[in-house]
Amino acid sequence: MNPLSTKDGGRHWLTTVGVKPPRTVVAVNDGITADEAFRLATSGTGLAWYGDFPGARNLLAALSRRCGTAAGKPFPDQRNHQSRRARLLGRLLVPLDPGHVLPLRRGPDVREACAEVYGPSETASLVSLRELLGVIGAHEWRVKGVEIPALGAKLHPHHGVFSPVRGEYVDLVARTPLPAKELAFDIGTGTGVLAAVLARRGVKRVVATDNEPRALACARENFERLGFGGIETLETDVFPPGRAPLVVCNPPWLPSRARTPLERAVYDPGSRMLKAFLDRLPRHLEPGGEAWLILSDLAELLGLRTRDELLAAFDRSGLEIRGREDIRPRHPRVTDRADPLHDARAREVTSLWRLTTRAAPAPD
């Protein structure tokens, strides 16, 4: 946390996403109008809220309405609009007293949720209301869990770890015939959902990798809850050492810049992870084994990547397609016409590509 000078005597800036604090912060309450708040936030001023908590949420909603929409615009323009909107809404701040106590009237108890994310606190701080609501929501997900039909159980995502709310890709892994049951690698495990599905299906040894310590901690906790404490976890960029007859990877689907840690589960700048996976896969896949690459075609529908480019990437890595399993998404955004990406989401298909290494030419 960095010291932040404010008109209320000085608090520390609290964030998990690396956003810099506003240079100027003014104390406000229920007396400010939404138009005045929007004018100040647009100018870069932070608004430290000292009214009641429902009033802060109402003001956040009013600011959001004033941001407008980018519906109908090209995807890059939508992303830029989202970024500007996030910066502006992030300027509505709320105070936290030592111990993560929210000192606002009718405010919830956020101590446990904040401690999970920020650790212990002995200082007074300011935090973006938008971020705090995300922390509260993540805590509720962590406590309640997410039902995974393929497991017949719940997973409990942590803050900053992408929740498996889109169950169709899990269904693909649950239903595709296994090429072997001795060993599988789960690359970029996140909550550990796919590793758990493989273990539930009888794979004797599963190695789950991720480059985010927060994700690995989440996965290990879920494995213990589910009785799969024997699943191995490893912090590494992509692959663990060795080869496996089955390698599963559900990389970020959109080749665009991630602006927050959580977005790294969705956005893969320059397809870095996808390219690293494909290029190094032949050195980690046993001869005759299968790699299950799970990708949505949303990037193709948005003009961010073509199918020919994807197939060419397979070919350059010495891979060939053994088969493909497709499924249509079921999440609510498919039918939400207010979603700026509705046209693409309504046509989206998620695929499990069954890849294998190309056979070497026979000797003369």
Side-chain angles (χ1 to χ4, degrees):
M1 296 187 297
N2 298 318
L4 177 68
S5 296
T6 73
K7 290 188 176 180
D8 65 337
R11 287 176 176 262
H12 286 76
W13 179 240
L14 199 60
T15 183
T16 63
V17 296
V19 176
K20 294 182 179 180
R23 293 183 178 179
T24 304
V25 177
V26 297
V28 300
N29 56 30
D30 304 271
I32 194 170
T33 66
D35 287 339
E36 176 65 8
F38 186 74
R39 183 188 69 78
L40 288 169
T42 302
S43 72
T45 300
L47 310 173
W49 180 264
Y50 287 93
D52 68 6
F53 188 74
R57 298 193 64 160
N58 290 339
L59 180 57
L60 185 68
L63 293 175
S64 180
R65 290 193 295 270
R66 283 161 174 76
C67 289
T69 178
K73 294 184 179 180
F75 180 72
D77 293 340
Q78 292 185 27
R79 288 284 288 156
N80 289 333
H81 174 81
Q82 290 173 350
S83 181
R84 291 191 297 270
R85 176 178 176 274
R87 285 197 301 271
L88 189 145
L89 297 182
R91 292 171 186 146
L92 179 57
L93 317 174
V94 293
L96 291 175
D97 288 345
H100 299 306
V101 174
L102 181 65
L104 302 183
R105 299 187 308 276
R106 295 194 285 167
D109 184 345
V110 301
R111 291 174 296 175
E112 185 177 355
C114 288
E116 288 174 350
V117 175
Y118 303 116
S121 168
E122 298 179 357
T123 59
S125 58
L126 280 176
V127 62
S128 158
L129 173 61
R130 193 164 182 259
E131 178 169 330
L132 180 62
L133 293 175
V135 168
I136 295 170
H139 175 68
E140 292 173 352
W141 277 113
R142 184 168 178 171
V143 171
K144 296 177 182 178
V146 180
E147 192 70 42
I148 308 296
L151 290 172
K154 290 183 177 182
L155 278 183
H156 297 260
H158 292 191
H159 180 271
V161 182
F162 196 73
S163 177
V165 291
R166 288 191 54 161
E168 67 270 7
Y169 73 92
V170 180
D171 292 344
L172 286 173
V173 173
R175 78 185 191 193
T176 302
L178 291 167
K181 289 189 175 184
E182 292 78 24
L183 171 65
F185 295 162
D186 175 26
I187 308 302
T189 194
T191 60
V193 60
L194 298 185
V197 169
L198 294 173
R200 176 73 72 190
R201 295 190 63 188
V203 177
K204 297 175 183 176
R205 181 185 171 211
V206 181
V207 180
T209 74
D210 209 294
N211 61 3
E212 292 283 351
R214 189 187 298 270
L216 290 172
C218 175
R220 284 192 290 266
E221 183 179 297
N222 281 316
F223 298 152
E224 292 292 340
R225 284 176 181 266
L226 295 168
F228 297 136
I231 295 178
E232 301 169 42
T233 58
L234 179 65
E235 183 178 347
T236 186
D237 190 35
V238 185
F239 288 97
R243 296 175 180 266
L246 173 61
V247 179
V248 178
C249 183
N250 176 34
W253 290 346
L254 298 178
S256 184
R257 183 167 67 91
R259 296 188 172 98
T260 68
L262 185 60
E263 282 194 349
R264 288 199 286 267
V266 180
Y267 297 99
D268 183 18
S271 298
R272 187 196 70 85
M273 181 179 177
L274 176 61
K275 290 177 180 177
F277 174 77
L278 295 175
D279 290 347
R280 294 161 60 182
L281 177 61
R283 300 195 294 275
H284 294 277
L285 186 64
E286 287 187 359
E290 285 188 8
W292 292 357
L293 175 66
I294 303 158
L295 281 178
S296 158
D297 66 353
L298 189 60
E300 299 170 20
L301 297 172
L302 294 174
L304 303 177
R305 179 175 58 229
T306 68
R307 178 58 57 91
D308 286 344
E309 288 172 337
L310 179 63
L311 297 179
F314 295 165
D315 186 64
R316 283 194 304 271
S317 298
L319 303 169
E320 61 183 27
I321 301 167
R322 183 173 286 179
R324 195 181 79 208
E325 302 286 335
D326 294 337
I327 195 169
R328 290 276 185 178
R330 304 183 297 268
H331 58 87
R333 287 188 175 183
V334 172
T335 56
D336 181 7
R337 295 188 174 276
D339 188 315
L341 301 182
H342 169 73
D343 289 345
R345 293 191 192 280
R347 295 178 288 145
E348 181 184 5
V349 173
T350 301
S351 299
L352 185 153
W353 296 85
R354 296 171 53 223
L355 305 174
T356 189
T357 50
R358 190 163 48 231
D364 294 335

